[in-house]
């Protein structure tokens, strides 16, 4: 039988293949999970046997990256859309459907938040500056990160985890949620009204943030709390499920 004291296994999706046929992932994500006490397991695109992986995971992170193909949300093509990767889209959309069904604790970050929303039938804004203007930057030119304030919904799970109602975070996106998918609740916005976070009240632990907590979590305890809370939820789910799940035996 699995020991409930074993650290929870946290899956992380990787980026799609780069020009050298490698599956990269910024180490910030892995390090944030390790600081939280989780064991990171990378899941590259193209995997078709997702059920055996999900059966072993205690939690999941859908990571950042390039844009979804707008055909997934009946969106329009736009000249700014970049790094579209059918292999990554297929794997992550399939993971998103399944994590909702299973009630698997999951933190969705940037592209991950968009993947979750699209998987649930929501839509995206193809290029934010076209719709909210550029008084507030969500990324700098040539696709570089910036920072801006984020206003959290009082009483939300997110505000409870972060312990405050306003934060400043790293922003690195040019798209955002347009219409939230069914079951998702908007729990944070930028000062320009852009949706910056979603949560699913009917799910045990499902949070989606448009910003990049992993980029500052090493030095900002407020951002690290997202990873700590995910690992705590994964640990709790693991203990709950352990007695009838022989696949988690480690001996
Ligand atoms: Mn932003």
């Amino acid at each position: 039988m699995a020991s409930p004291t074993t650290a929870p296994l946290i899956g992380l999706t990787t980026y799609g293949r780069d020009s050298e046929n490698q599956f990269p992932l910024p180490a910030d994500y892995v390090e944030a999970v390790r600081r939280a006490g989780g064991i990171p397991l990378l899941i590259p695109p193209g995997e078709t046997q997702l059920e055996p992986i999900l059966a072993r995971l205690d939690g999941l992170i859908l990571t950042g990256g390039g844009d979804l193909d707008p055909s997934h949300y009946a969106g329009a093509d736009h000249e700014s859309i970049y790094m579209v990767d059918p292999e990554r889209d297929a794997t992550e959309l399939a993971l998103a459907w399944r994590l909702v069904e299973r009630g698997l604790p999951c933190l969705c970050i940037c592209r991950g938040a968009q993947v979750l929303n699209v998987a649930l039938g929501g839509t995206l804004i193809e290029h934010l500056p076209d719709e909210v203007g550029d008084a507030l930057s969500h990324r700098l030119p040539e696709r570089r990160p910036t920072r801006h304030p984020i206003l959290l919904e009082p009483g939300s799970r997110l505000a409870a985890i972060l312990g405050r109602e306003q934060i400043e975070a790293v922003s690195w996106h040019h798209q955002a949620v347009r219409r939230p998918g069914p079951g998702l609740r908007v729990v944070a916005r930028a000062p320009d009204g852009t949706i910056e976070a979603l949560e699913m009240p009917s799910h045990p632990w499902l949070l989606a943030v448009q910003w990049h907590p992993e980029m500052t979590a090493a030095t900002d305890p407020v951002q690290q709390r997202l990873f700590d809370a995910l690992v705590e939820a994964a640990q709790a789910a693991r203990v709950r499920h352990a007695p009838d799940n022989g696949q988690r035996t480690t001996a």
Side-chain angles (χ1 to χ4, degrees):
M1 224 181 90
S3 163
T5 57
T6 306
L9 197 55
I10 307 294
L12 299 121
T13 57
T14 75
Y15 285 34
R17 295 167 201 274
D18 65 13
S19 57
E20 294 172 358
N21 202 33
Q22 302 190 29
F23 291 118
L25 181 70
D28 286 344
Y29 290 103
V30 168
E31 289 160 359
V33 168
R34 287 185 178 149
R35 275 194 301 272
I39 302 171
L41 177 77
L42 305 194
I43 307 170
E47 183 55 62
T48 54
Q49 300 194 62
L50 296 175
E51 289 298 334
I53 293 176
L54 288 163
R56 288 166 170 82
L57 291 181
D58 303 304
L60 180 63
I61 296 179
L62 297 181
T63 61
D67 295 334
L68 278 155
D69 187 324
S71 68
H72 291 301
Y73 52 95
D77 205 1
H78 191 281
E79 60 181 2
S80 68
I81 289 176
Y82 74 113
M83 262 173 75
V84 170
D85 183 333
E87 187 179 44
R88 189 177 185 191
D89 285 357
T91 302
E92 291 189 336
L93 287 167
L95 279 170
W97 295 321
R98 285 171 172 78
L99 76 89
V100 170
E101 271 178 9
R102 284 177 166 268
L104 185 71
C106 183
L107 175 61
C108 307
I109 296 175
C110 195
R111 168 192 163 89
Q114 297 168 8
V115 167
L116 174 72
N117 187 53
V118 168
L120 292 173
T123 62
L124 304 180
I125 294 173
E126 290 87 349
H127 188 58
L128 263 176
D130 288 357
E131 311 210 13
V132 300
D134 50 14
L136 183 143
S137 294
H138 291 271
R139 78 174 179 194
L140 297 180
E142 306 307 325
R143 301 209 294 254
R144 297 306 305 161
T146 184
R147 298 173 72 100
H148 66 67
I150 292 163
L151 310 167
L152 310 176
E153 183 71 27
S156 63
R157 286 184 191 177
L158 181 65
I161 288 166
L162 297 180
R164 56 198 65 198
E165 292 177 1
Q166 180 170 347
I167 58 166
E168 171 140 326
V170 173
S171 180
W172 194 1
H173 60 113
H174 80 108
Q175 301 193 321
V177 169
R178 182 190 298 282
R179 189 187 72 229
L184 294 174
R185 174 185 172 206
V186 176
V187 290
R189 289 185 187 267
D192 65 5
T194 299
I195 293 175
E196 290 277 347
L198 300 163
E199 62 189 38
M200 182 175 249
S202 65
H203 187 284
W205 202 98
L206 179 52
L207 289 181
V209 298
Q210 186 58 68
W211 69 89
H212 281 276
E214 81 287 357
M215 291 182 70
T216 56
T219 54
D220 182 351
V222 173
Q223 297 300 331
Q224 179 63 33
R225 277 181 210 155
L226 283 171
F227 299 93
D228 295 350
L230 170 67
V231 169
E232 278 170 32
Q235 181 71 62
R238 175 184 192 125
V239 170
R240 231 175 13 254
H241 295 141
D244 58 357
N245 194 338
Q247 288 177 323
R248 298 186 185 203
T249 299
T250 52

